[in-house]
């Protein structure tokens, strides 16, 4: 993980530390996700794609993250972050992370929020997440926040499934919600 903020404020340091702590926490737990586990994800085009434990672990092993200053412009047209740049780095604007865990938030909630946002963006990079993003960019309608709602819901659902498998406690409510039919991995024989 890299931080592209020269002189972080105390609250930015709190968020950076929590984010780093959850990267380490997820890293220590990722082996709990069996390679042969399968998550069926229902896409907006009517198809179903499978996410496997092996795919998630491969993405995780190659994941690189950077926290940028508030207001950083990204190629996707937002100042929130970008799922992956041309160098394979996932970017997060520090103010986006602060919005998930504002100052004064209990540490346990901050930890859950940071784990969620990390795995949510990782989920956008699965084959299912990428297929949904492509479909949405060609056929979908953005909401007032510049997001494709179902694209976000699918990433949320995959993230929740990962959290359950690696013994993290998912947030009960998130923007765009969950598709509960896509929040639990199964053994391939199920």
């Amino acid at each position: 993980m890299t931080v592209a903020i020269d002189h972080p404020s105390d609250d930015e340091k709190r968020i950076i530390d929590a984010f780093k702590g959850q990267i380490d926490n997820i890293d220590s737990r990722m082996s709990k996700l069996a390679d042969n586990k399968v998550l069926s994800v229902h896409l907006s085009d009517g198809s179903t794609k499978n996410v496997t434990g092996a795919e998630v672990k491969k993405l995780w092993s190659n994941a690189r993250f950077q926290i940028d200053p508030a207001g950083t412009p990204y190629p996707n047209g937002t100042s929130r972050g970008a799922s992956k740049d041309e160098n394979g780095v996932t970017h997060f604007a520090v103010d986006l992370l602060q919005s998930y865990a504002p100052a004064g938030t209990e540490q346990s909630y901050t930890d859950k929020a940071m784990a969620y946002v990390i795995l949510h963006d990782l989920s956008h990079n699965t084959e299912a997440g990428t297929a949904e993003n492509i479909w949405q960019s060609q056929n979908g309608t953005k909401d007032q926040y510049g997001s494709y709602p179902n694209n976000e819901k699918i990433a949320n659902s995959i993230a929740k499934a990962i959290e359950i498998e690696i013994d993290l406690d998912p947030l009960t409510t998130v923007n765009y919600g969950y598709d509960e039919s896509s929040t639990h991995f199964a053994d391939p024989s199920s």
Side-chain angles (χ1 to χ4, degrees):
M1 180 189 104
T2 58
V3 178
I5 302 171
D6 290 334
H7 303 288
S9 69
D10 287 346
D11 193 55
E12 289 171 337
K13 288 176 188 172
R14 174 186 69 88
I15 288 295
I16 292 164
D17 289 346
F19 191 90
K20 173 75 170 109
Q22 286 311 302
I23 288 173
D24 293 343
N25 187 28
I26 293 166
D27 199 49
S28 72
R29 295 167 178 263
M30 194 54 77
S31 64
K32 293 180 180 192
L33 178 56
D35 289 351
N36 66 346
K37 290 285 190 158
V38 177
L39 174 68
S40 293
V41 180
H42 310 288
L43 304 180
S44 294
D45 68 1
S47 69
T48 299
K49 279 214 172 276
N50 289 331
V51 175
T52 65
E55 177 189 10
V56 171
K57 288 162 74 173
K58 182 177 180 182
L59 285 170
W60 181 254
S61 71
N62 293 319
R64 296 182 316 166
F65 303 99
Q66 180 170 307
I67 300 177
D68 298 314
T72 299
Y74 295 104
N76 63 7
T78 75
S79 60
R80 297 185 313 254
S83 204
K84 230 198 254 188
D85 69 13
E86 65 278 358
N87 298 313
V89 178
T90 300
H91 291 261
F92 296 93
V94 71
D95 55 327
L96 169 76
L97 298 176
Q98 288 169 312
S99 74
Y100 280 95
T105 304
E106 289 188 27
Q107 188 63 42
S108 62
Y109 183 85
T110 298
D111 290 343
K112 278 187 191 183
M114 293 303 103
Y116 158 76
V117 77
I118 292 164
L119 292 172
H120 171 93
D121 265 77
L122 185 79
S123 297
H124 277 302
N125 295 313
T126 62
E127 285 186 34
T130 299
E132 181 66 19
N133 188 46
I134 291 168
W135 188 91
Q136 288 292 339
S137 67
Q138 295 170 354
N139 304 291
T141 302
K142 289 185 177 182
D143 65 11
Q144 68 269 28
Y145 306 108
S147 296
Y148 297 108
N150 205 51
N151 193 35
E152 299 305 318
K153 187 175 197 173
I154 285 172
N156 288 346
S157 303
I158 297 168
K160 183 176 182 178
I162 296 167
E163 288 174 308
I164 290 167
E165 281 297 313
I166 65 173
D167 295 328
L168 290 175
D169 188 16
L171 293 172
T172 54
T173 58
V174 293
N175 292 338
Y176 304 104
Y178 298 110
D179 174 355
E180 291 298 338
S181 70
S182 296
T183 58
H184 290 82
F185 280 88
D187 293 321
S189 60
S190 302

